[in-house]
Amino acid sequence: MITSRQIRAARGLLGWSGDELADKVDVTRATLSKIESDLVQPQERTLARIAEVLDKHGVELVDGEGVKLRQQEVRVFSGKTGYRQFLDHIYLTLKNGGRIRQFNLSDSGNLSFADEYGQAHLSRMASIDHLDAKVLTIEGDTEFPASYCKYRWMDKDNADLAPFYIYGDYVVLPMYESTHKREWISVNSKLLAERYAKQFDKFWAKASSPKKKGK
């Protein structure tokens, strides 16, 4: 459980005042001050909420009552070989379940880039339990190859919005210079993933159920 020293140190790392942290945790400034000064024995749920807020903003707890800022891992997957490595990373990250949010990306246009490896990836992903996968694609797209995904259509006016892909705490931004020259930039950041997920949720709420091919 997080300690008073770690709370004070985490605020210092983030440059937050006591008022800012108290507001985010939904406690009074006086209560937070007493917790940080060891003047009260806070409830476990209060400490858990403080730890959750700090973790969301990139603070990690370390042994010896220490804290540190989480380093954001950035990887670039390039070309066909890189795309297969990207698919492998998705599977390894989510093999025990988790979240996928795919925004303005067509499955058919991407998976075909991996040739037969794309189908193998779909098969292994379909075998994962507790996978929460949602795809927002542009109205008119009728290719829905992933049985484990829920698909919805966005209005065609959104076709020029920047695409992104979330898996776990990773956000991926695809960069396509041409049909054959493609890169996927992956950023490991819980805070960034949550922000993109919130944007996704807003579009998902307004999206429509796709019509089946031929209807």
Side-chain angles (χ1 to χ4, degrees):
M1 192 64 68
I2 191 169
T3 68
S4 58
R5 289 183 180 179
Q6 287 174 314
I7 296 171
R8 295 195 303 270
R11 280 205 299 109
L13 281 177
L14 294 171
W16 288 357
S17 67
D19 288 327
E20 286 178 291
L21 179 56
D23 182 63
K24 294 178 187 299
V25 177
D26 197 23
V27 298
T28 65
R29 176 66 181 88
T31 296
L32 179 63
S33 180
K34 290 178 181 178
I35 293 172
E36 290 187 339
S37 302
D38 288 322
L39 296 178
V40 294
Q41 179 59 49
Q43 296 181 347
E44 286 191 8
R45 64 183 181 183
T46 301
L47 291 177
R49 174 59 181 156
I50 293 173
E52 178 186 356
V53 167
L54 294 174
D55 177 76
K56 186 176 180 180
H57 288 82
V59 174
E60 290 185 357
L61 307 183
V62 298
D63 293 338
E65 292 192 290
V67 295
K68 67 177 183 178
L69 287 177
R70 184 181 301 112
Q71 296 298 310
Q72 293 186 353
E73 175 193 349
V74 178
R75 296 182 62 181
V76 179
F77 301 95
S78 300
K80 283 198 173 188
T81 299
Y83 185 55
R84 292 182 180 187
Q85 292 172 344
F86 169 44
L87 295 181
D88 287 341
H89 195 247
I90 293 172
Y91 175 71
L92 291 172
T93 302
L94 300 177
K95 63 182 180 180
N96 294 317
R99 168 184 65 182
I100 291 175
R101 297 291 183 266
Q102 183 173 315
F103 183 86
N104 200 13
L105 280 170
S106 169
D107 276 335
S108 58
N110 283 277
L111 289 170
S112 60
F113 190 65
D115 301 323
E116 71 282 354
Y117 202 78
Q119 290 302 316
H121 174 71
L122 291 179
S123 296
R124 65 183 177 181
M125 292 297 292
S127 69
I128 297 175
D129 293 326
H130 311 299
L131 193 59
D132 174 19
K134 297 178 179 178
V135 178
L136 277 170
T137 187
I138 298 302
E139 182 181 357
D141 183 4
T142 55
E143 298 295 332
F144 311 126
S147 61
Y148 53 90
C149 289
K150 297 178 181 177
Y151 291 87
R152 286 188 182 178
W153 275 348
M154 294 190 296
D155 190 276
K156 292 180 180 180
D157 291 342
N158 296 317
D160 60 344
L161 294 180
F164 62 83
Y165 187 98
I166 303 170
Y167 60 107
D169 290 335
Y170 291 87
V171 177
V172 175
L173 306 177
M175 308 291 286
Y176 302 161
E177 289 188 28
S178 67
T179 303
H180 302 289
K181 189 173 183 181
R182 304 184 182 187
E183 289 186 337
W184 295 264
I185 301 172
S186 173
V187 182
N188 182 10
S189 169
K190 185 173 184 177
L191 177 58
L192 192 63
E194 290 302 324
R195 288 182 174 176
Y196 271 89
K198 285 182 179 180
Q199 175 182 315
F200 181 97
D201 289 343
K202 289 181 179 180
F203 280 90
W204 183 262
K206 298 178 181 179
S208 60
S209 298
K211 297 177 182 179
K212 293 183 179 180
K213 191 181 290 188
K215 298 247 179 154

